[in-house]
Amino acid sequence: MNGHVKSMHFQQCMELATTLLSLLLVMAVDSTRTVAASRNQQCGNSLQQSLKLTKLLQKESVDLIRTYKASQGDMSELFCKVSVNNIPDPNISGLEPSERIVSIYTHLKAFLPHFKRVYEQQKDLQPPTSPLLSSLINVSARNRYLAGLINNFYQSLFPNLPVPEPAGGPTTLPPPQNVFQQKVYGCVVLKTYKELLSNVFQELRVLKNNFCRRRIQINTPFF
């Protein structure tokens, strides 16, 4: 009789253990689904915000260059055609999606000190009410916000991969310049930034159509 009781007790323990194991497995699957769904949503929503802001900045950069040229007086059409050193590279680099997202982020950040320098130079050359000055402030603020979106997007997809520092450090600002050099420098900065935005927009579209869509397909549960 005692053996029978022990057998039943053992069977009940095994059933309880099996139930608990099943419950833990279900919880683990639900947790994995939640994390995957969250990251997939971030991949879509955050990227869509970045695309919209990049497109807006593209339009504003065209208007900004036009405003800049109109504010520089004679020879303004020639300013953007002069070669200038130490301007950030507008081309996105990297083989893996993580590397290319980081490249977008670091390139956007690299333009911030140049926007500040252009603003400081133009503040000395333009009247306080010049629309160019407010436009430069706006483009710098929106560029900073876009860089933040890209950083958040990267962190959500690759939480275990910290954003590396750009190779070679940040680009250096030009030494003191005369008025002509300042006008050239500002125009080239804005033109190069416009090229960067075009490259960023194309890159984000590729990420959305290929990388994010593939992640959603991989993480879609079949049960």
Side-chain angles (χ1 to χ4, degrees):
M1 185 69 179
N2 289 339
H4 180 67
V5 171
K6 289 181 178 179
S7 177
M8 290 187 63
H9 180 68
F10 176 77
Q11 184 178 358
Q12 290 174 348
C13 289
M14 289 297 296
E15 290 176 352
L16 179 60
T18 301
T19 301
L20 289 173
L21 180 60
S22 299
L23 180 60
L24 289 173
L25 287 173
V26 170
M27 291 174 64
V29 170
D30 287 342
S31 177
T32 302
R33 285 179 178 176
T34 301
V35 172
S38 176
R39 290 184 179 174
N40 289 339
Q41 184 178 14
Q42 184 76 6
C43 196
N45 293 346
S46 182
L47 198 51
Q48 189 63 31
Q49 290 180 35
S50 300
L51 275 166
K52 288 182 178 179
L53 183 54
T54 303
K55 190 172 184 179
L56 174 63
L57 276 168
Q58 277 185 296
K59 179 182 180 301
E60 291 184 342
S61 68
V62 174
D63 297 334
L64 179 55
I65 292 174
R66 186 182 300 115
T67 302
Y68 184 90
K69 289 180 178 179
S71 303
Q72 304 308 308
D74 297 336
M75 301 176 59
S76 60
E77 289 297 328
L78 300 177
F79 293 152
C80 286
K81 299 178 181 179
V82 179
S83 178
V84 177
N85 295 326
N86 300 324
I87 303 296
D89 183 2
N91 298 309
I92 307 303
S93 60
L95 298 177
E96 298 296 327
S98 60
E99 296 172 337
R100 299 188 74 80
I101 296 172
V102 167
S103 180
I104 292 173
Y105 172 73
T106 54
H107 280 66
L108 291 171
K109 291 281 286 185
F111 271 89
L112 290 173
H114 292 273
F115 287 143
K116 183 179 179 181
R117 174 62 65 86
V118 173
Y119 175 80
E120 290 171 348
Q121 291 176 342
Q122 291 299 314
K123 191 176 179 181
D124 293 334
L125 299 175
Q126 306 296 329
T129 56
S130 171
L132 174 62
L133 299 178
S134 58
S135 296
L136 287 169
I137 292 174
N138 289 338
V139 74
S140 180
R142 284 187 171 145
N143 179 75
R144 189 183 300 276
Y145 184 66
L146 177 59
L149 283 176
I150 297 298
N151 184 38
N152 291 339
F153 173 56
Y154 176 85
Q155 297 289 351
S156 68
L157 298 183
F158 308 102
N160 298 321
L161 295 177
V163 179
E165 292 296 325
T171 57
T172 56
L173 294 172
Q177 301 167 307
N178 59 39
V179 172
F180 176 79
Q181 291 171 329
Q182 290 178 15
K183 292 183 176 184
V184 168
Y185 166 72
C187 200
V188 175
V189 166
L190 298 181
K191 184 191 75 170
T192 308
Y193 179 66
K194 178 176 172 291
E195 294 174 14
L196 172 65
L197 290 173
S198 178
N199 294 335
V200 168
F201 186 77
Q202 294 301 323
E203 193 65 35
L204 293 179
R205 289 187 64 182
V206 170
L207 285 169
K208 180 182 178 182
N209 293 333
N210 296 337
F211 180 63
C212 280
R213 184 171 297 175
R214 185 169 67 250
R215 283 179 61 89
I216 292 174
Q217 291 172 345
I218 290 174
N219 289 308
T220 300
F222 294 96
F223 49 85

